[in-house]
């Protein structure tokens, strides 16, 4: 639960900083964001003891424990702390409103003032490596962070360098972005930077599916480039339309429908020989198998990469939180794809994707008939195994033990907030051999 509380704090810190860059103290949105940040601080110190968030290398630690998933999910906060040479944030019980506001403004670059009331301390409780449960972040996580920086650069500078994006794709391929590792990373979301995270996740899932389909290395490179840039046109779409919580107005919808054309134009302007396919994917990824969708391109067959990206785009979007709706489970997302096979999506690509993912993809949270809650993991022999994270009585499992299960023993699939567990962190522990097998 502590990792979820840390994520709540980091999300509130990022959100408050974003609100402060767009408004000023006294604005309702700013006040609400600062209140949420103060509440997150209170939750971290509910035991009455101070909490220390440390930054070592490219990873966050909460007190002594590595926050692997949070280090990726809140990469922008991590980079802001590194820029301002903040190695530790100590939160004391009863953190004041003024101090949490000062902290958010400092990290957002809106102020040079340090928290003044002494309820949040910077670099005062720096823990040594020997005091931390040190573990190196995977190469895949480091590449993921580099890809986020690349996409943020496009947004900041309105300049697209396909060579830089292709370098990131090459790093993903060199790191072996197969189904297991890709699914681990594709569970990372940040709804405040949804376009960036969504694009990277779609790239990872597309590469995994391309490998599964037997594409060549050069085909995978172009598929990965296309997937990473499929939504690049969204950087020119009005943010209010993208973040709208209710039904879109006609004006908002018109803005959203522009992004395929805008993306294709930007890619063509920057593309080198052989890279034009990425523009086709940007243009086509919202076209339907039955000829519907947008933009209206008349009677034409979409590129294979466009059909792959359309499928993984839908899966990623359904399983991620959006401002206008909550996240849904992987099983829900696969059902959405199955229902749309042959009409919305290419039926063969949907079949291949479901075959790759399996009924319960890695990272799925399941409640078993025994009452235990498990996180699904992969295994070399293909057996269905899960790591127990909640015992039948609802208590947190004291050790990560693996149990076999069958579809017949699955009672329900849960969301992370329902289980009080971050599946990405569990998969990370398994990847490093920290789970106990049974």
């Amino acid at each position: 639960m502590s990792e979820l509380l840390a994520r709540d704090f980091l999300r509130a810190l990022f959100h408050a900083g974003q609100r402060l860059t767009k408004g000023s103290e006294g604005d309702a949105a700013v006040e609400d964001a600062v209140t949420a940040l103060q509440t997150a601080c209170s939750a971290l110190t509910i035991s009455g003891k101070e909490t220390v968030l440390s930054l070592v290398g490219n990873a966050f630690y909460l007190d002594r424990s590595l926050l692997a998933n949070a280090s990726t999910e809140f990469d922008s906060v991590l980079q802001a702390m590194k820029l301002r040479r903040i190695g530790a944030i100590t939160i004391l019980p009863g953190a004041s409103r003024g101090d949490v506001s000062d902290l958010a403004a400092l990290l957002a670059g809106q102020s040079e003032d340090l928290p003044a009331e002494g309820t949040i301390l910077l670099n005062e409780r720096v823990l040594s490596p020997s005091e931390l449960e040190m573990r190196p972040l995977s190469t895949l996580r480091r590449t993921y962070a580099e890809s986020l920086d690349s996409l943020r650069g496009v947004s900041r500078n309105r300049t697209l360098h396909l060579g830089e994006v292709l370098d990131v794709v090459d790093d993903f391929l060199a790191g072996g972005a197969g189904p297991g590792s890709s699914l681990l990373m594709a569970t990372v979301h940040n709804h405040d930077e949804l376009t960036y995270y969504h694009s990277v996740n779609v790239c990872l899932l597309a590469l995994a599916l391309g490998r599964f389909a037997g594409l060549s290395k050069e085909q995978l490179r172009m598929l990965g480039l296309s997937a990473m840039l499929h939504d690049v046109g969204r950087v020119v779409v009005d943010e209010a339309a993208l973040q709208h919580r209710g039904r879109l107005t006609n004006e908002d919808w018109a803005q959203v429908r522009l992004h395929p054309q805008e993306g294709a134009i930007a890619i063509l302007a920057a593309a080198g020989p052989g890279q034009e396919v990425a523009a086709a994917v940007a243009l086509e990824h919202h076209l339907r198998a039955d000829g519907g969708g947008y933009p209206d391109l008349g009677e034409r067959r979409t590129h294979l990469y466009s059909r792959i990206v359309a499928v993984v785009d839908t899966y990623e979007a359904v399983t991620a939180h959006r401002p206008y709706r909550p996240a849904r489970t992987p099983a829900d997302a696969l059902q959405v794809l199955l229902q749309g096979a042959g009409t919305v999506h290419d039926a063969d690509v949907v079949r291949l994707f479901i075959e790759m993912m399996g009924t319960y993809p890695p990272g799925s949270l399941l409640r078993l008939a025994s009452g235990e809650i498990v996180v699904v993991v992969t295994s070399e022999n293909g057996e269905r195994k899960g790591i127990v994270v909640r015992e039948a009585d609802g208590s947190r499992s004291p050790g990560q033990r693996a149990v076999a299960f069958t579809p017949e023993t699955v009672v329900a699939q849960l969301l992370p907030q329902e289980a009080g567990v971050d599946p990405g962190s569990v998969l990370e522990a398994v990847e490093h051999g920290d789970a106990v097998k049974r």
Side-chain angles (χ1 to χ4, degrees), residues 144-331:
Y144 194 109
E146 291 171 5
S147 65
L148 292 173
D149 287 342
S150 177
L151 292 172
R152 290 191 192 107
V154 174
S155 180
R156 284 192 303 268
N157 306 320
R158 294 296 194 270
T159 303
L160 183 57
H161 299 288
L162 267 61
E164 293 179 6
V165 179
L166 201 52
D167 286 344
V168 171
V169 172
D170 286 339
D171 286 344
F172 277 141
L173 291 173
S181 57
S182 296
L183 288 173
L184 186 156
M185 290 307 304
T187 62
V188 179
H189 302 101
N190 182 323
H191 64 256
D192 288 305
E193 292 188 296
L194 63 89
T195 297
Y196 307 144
Y197 284 78
H198 171 71
S199 296
V200 180
N201 290 344
V202 167
C203 176
L204 284 170
L205 291 171
L207 287 175
L209 184 56
R211 283 182 185 274
F212 193 73
L215 298 185
S216 69
K217 181 177 179 180
E218 188 55 34
Q219 288 173 320
L220 288 170
R221 293 181 79 231
M222 289 303 104
L223 172 60
L225 176 70
S226 303
M228 185 78 79
L229 296 177
H230 79 283
D231 261 350
V232 72
R234 292 171 74 95
V235 302
V236 300
V237 174
D238 180 43
E239 183 180 5
L242 297 179
Q243 301 288 346
H244 195 78
R245 292 181 178 275
R247 183 180 295 274
L248 291 175
T249 65
N250 290 338
E251 293 77 12
D252 287 337
W253 184 236
Q255 283 283 315
V256 170
R257 289 170 67 95
L258 281 175
H259 82 269
Q261 298 99 303
E262 295 290 351
I265 291 170
I267 293 169
L268 283 176
Q275 298 174 347
E276 299 88 353
V277 65
V281 173
L283 186 65
E284 298 175 346
H285 72 280
H286 281 298
L287 294 179
R288 293 166 52 110
D290 61 8
Y294 63 91
D296 183 1
L297 300 178
E299 295 289 331
R300 60 172 286 175
R301 174 75 168 168
T302 57
H303 196 283
L304 171 62
Y305 299 169
S306 302
R307 286 175 271 144
I308 289 174
V309 167
V311 167
V312 299
D313 179 33
T314 295
Y315 176 85
E316 205 285 334
V318 171
T319 55
H321 173 89
R322 291 291 186 265
Y324 45 86
R325 58 143 179 83
R328 296 171 66 184
T329 65

Side-chain angles (χ1 to χ4, degrees), residues 358-382:
T359 307
Y360 301 112
S364 299
L365 279 159
L366 308 179
R367 187 188 303 278
L368 304 182
S370 63
E372 297 167 313
I373 295 177
V374 303
V375 173
V376 178
V377 296
T378 55
S379 58
E380 291 182 4
N381 56 14

Side-chain angles (χ1 to χ4, degrees), residues 37-122:
L37 179 54
Q38 190 175 22
T39 300
C41 288
S42 297
L44 278 175
T45 56
I46 195 169
S47 66
K49 297 180 180 179
E50 66 182 33
T51 293
V52 180
L53 181 78
S54 301
L55 174 57
V56 179
N58 290 303
F60 286 125
Y61 289 80
L62 182 65
D63 294 326
R64 295 165 54 86
S65 301
L66 172 68
L67 303 177
N69 234 39
S71 299
T72 309
E73 183 178 358
F74 300 101
D75 175 73
S76 58
V77 178
L78 187 151
Q79 298 302 330
M81 287 179 61
K82 290 177 71 172
L83 179 65
R84 290 158 183 80
R85 299 184 179 181
I86 299 173
I89 299 173
T90 303
I91 305 168
L92 277 62
S96 72
R97 189 177 185 84
D99 276 356
V100 302
S101 180
D102 288 346
L103 176 64
L106 177 66
L107 288 182
Q110 297 301 300
S111 171
E112 296 298 324
D113 293 335
L114 300 175
E117 298 176 41
T119 60
I120 291 182
L121 309 175
L122 304 182

